Amino acid sequence: MHYQCFSHVSVLSRQLLAGLKIAPEGEYLDATVGGGGHSEQILAAAEKVKVIAIDRDLEAIAAAKIRLAQYYPQQIQFWHGNYADYQPQDLLFDGIIADLGVSSPQLDTPERGFSFRHSAPLDMRMDSTQSLTAAEIINHWQEKQLADIFFQYGEERFSRRIARQIVRERPFQTTTDLANAIARAVPAKYRYGRINPATRVFQALRIAVNQELQSLERFLERAPYWLKPEGIIAIISFHSLEDRIVKHRFRDCELLQVITKKPITARADEQKLNPRSRSAKLRLAHKKNF
């Protein structure tokens, strides 16, 4: 994949910047830098702003370095890894952001294996240096384990039927072979509906491969301690499982005061320009000044 092709439209940017209230000489953490869109807007919003940018995807970091070359290395530093494992040492931030889930370039690059629109290896790793892949899960995990992740992470009502079909037909090599098996497992009337029957299973697999919900839980346990007093944390999520975790963590954390009682969603004009924004939800909280 060419780094210049890692083009990703950042969602809810106006609302995010307004909520962060970027301060001159402020220090910010972009926990999921992706192609660098949100970091670029933070850096351009005020004088002498500094950003620490994290991503699990080396291709995303390479693309962001190209996009943000004018700020590197004086105003932006990059860290490769899971945001839940980051250690800021003694550094405190004026703001922390995370744009969760899979990025458009990851979905649109067939060989990454995130989508069943193209025949590709069953990969789905955001961090290509990790060993666990979707193929490992599909071909080696027990039927009950498969059914559980399909139900818990994909909210798939036919999770047991699909798991049974997969175990019966495996091993699988490609995304399309798996998607076809899933279609055979569900009742006929669900095969040609508005949502492809493989959609929820692929979401569940991606979450399991990358341990997305566990990482989010760990990150939200730690991140409030990385904020300066009155510092703001902003999380953009794309499905109900993530949003529920963010909502409850913000509400239950003694260090935080919730800013958004209801999540901020994309306006009609943004949804028209960027369909991915339709499911995006932004929640904000600030660190109490004790």
Side-chain angles (χ1 to χ4, degrees), residues 226-247:
W226 306 343
L227 285 167
K228 298 176 184 177
E230 301 298 334
I232 292 168
I233 182 168
I235 309 291
I236 298 173
S237 62
F238 289 89
H239 58 73
S240 60
L241 299 174
E242 292 172 337
D243 182 58
R244 198 175 303 137
I245 291 171
V246 176
K247 176 184 176 180

Side-chain angles (χ1 to χ4, degrees), residues 37-285:
H38 284 138
S39 280
E40 183 175 45
Q41 291 165 330
I42 291 169
L43 288 161
E47 293 291 322
K48 299 180 181 179
V49 170
K50 290 187 176 180
V51 172
I52 302 290
I54 298 172
D55 210 283
R56 300 171 71 173
D57 191 331
L58 284 167
E59 292 181 346
I61 288 177
K65 282 183 176 178
I66 293 170
R67 180 171 185 166
L68 303 172
Q70 70 184 98
Y71 300 105
Y72 178 73
Q74 288 79 14
Q75 289 180 257
I76 186 165
Q77 297 292 326
F78 293 91
W79 189 84
H80 172 243
N82 187 329
Y83 62 178
D85 297 328
Y86 177 67
Q87 297 288 345
Q89 307 305 329
D90 296 327
L91 187 61
L92 293 176
F93 298 100
D94 295 279
I96 296 172
I97 68 168
D99 181 352
L100 305 175
V102 66
S103 69
S104 301
Q106 289 168 334
L107 281 172
D108 296 338
T109 305
E111 58 266 29
R112 300 296 296 269
F114 284 100
S115 172
F116 48 79
R117 288 178 294 168
H118 309 279
S119 182
L122 284 162
D123 193 325
M124 299 195 190
R125 292 173 297 172
M126 291 179 179
D127 181 351
S128 58
T129 66
Q130 77 172 44
S131 58
L132 182 64
T133 65
E136 174 70 21
I137 292 174
I138 285 296
N139 291 324
H140 298 288
W141 284 22
Q142 295 178 1
E143 183 179 322
K144 185 182 183 303
Q145 288 178 286
L146 294 176
D148 286 347
I149 66 167
F150 299 160
F151 183 75
Q152 292 169 12
Y153 298 160
E155 300 176 295
E156 172 53 65
R157 60 185 295 198
F158 298 112
S159 58
R160 292 178 186 275
R161 291 175 60 154
I162 292 169
R164 195 176 308 123
Q165 185 82 13
I166 287 170
V167 170
R168 188 184 302 132
E169 293 192 25
R170 67 190 185 186
F172 292 92
Q173 303 298 326
T174 69
T175 53
T176 47
D177 286 344
L178 177 60
N180 290 335
I182 294 166
R184 288 191 290 273
V186 301
K189 66 178 180 178
Y190 292 101
R191 291 175 197 163
Y192 308 105
R194 186 173 61 86
I195 298 175
N196 188 295
T199 300
R200 293 186 180 90
V201 171
F202 270 63
Q203 172 185 293
L205 270 176
R206 191 200 81 219
I207 290 171
V209 168
N210 298 289
Q211 297 186 312
E212 292 176 37
L213 301 187
Q214 296 95 322
S215 295
L216 178 59
E217 292 268 15
R218 283 167 47 219
F219 174 71
L220 291 175
E221 283 177 9
R222 299 175 181 187
Y225 294 95
W226 306 343
L227 285 167
K228 298 176 184 177
E230 301 298 334
I232 292 168
I233 182 168
I235 309 291
I236 298 173
S237 62
F238 289 89
H239 58 73
S240 60
L241 299 174
E242 292 172 337
D243 182 58
R244 198 175 303 137
I245 291 171
V246 176
K247 176 184 176 180
H248 292 162
R249 284 289 181 184
F250 279 8
R251 183 193 65 195
D252 297 340
C253 179
E254 293 182 355
L255 296 176
L256 296 178
Q257 178 68 49
V258 173
I259 297 171
T260 48
K261 289 200 166 52
K262 291 187 177 179
I264 297 168
T265 56
R267 299 192 317 209
D269 58 338
E270 182 175 0
Q271 291 186 29
K272 187 175 181 181
L273 288 170
N274 182 11
R276 183 174 178 262
S277 68
R278 290 173 189 159
S279 58
K281 293 181 178 179
L282 168 64
R283 291 187 185 269
L284 298 142

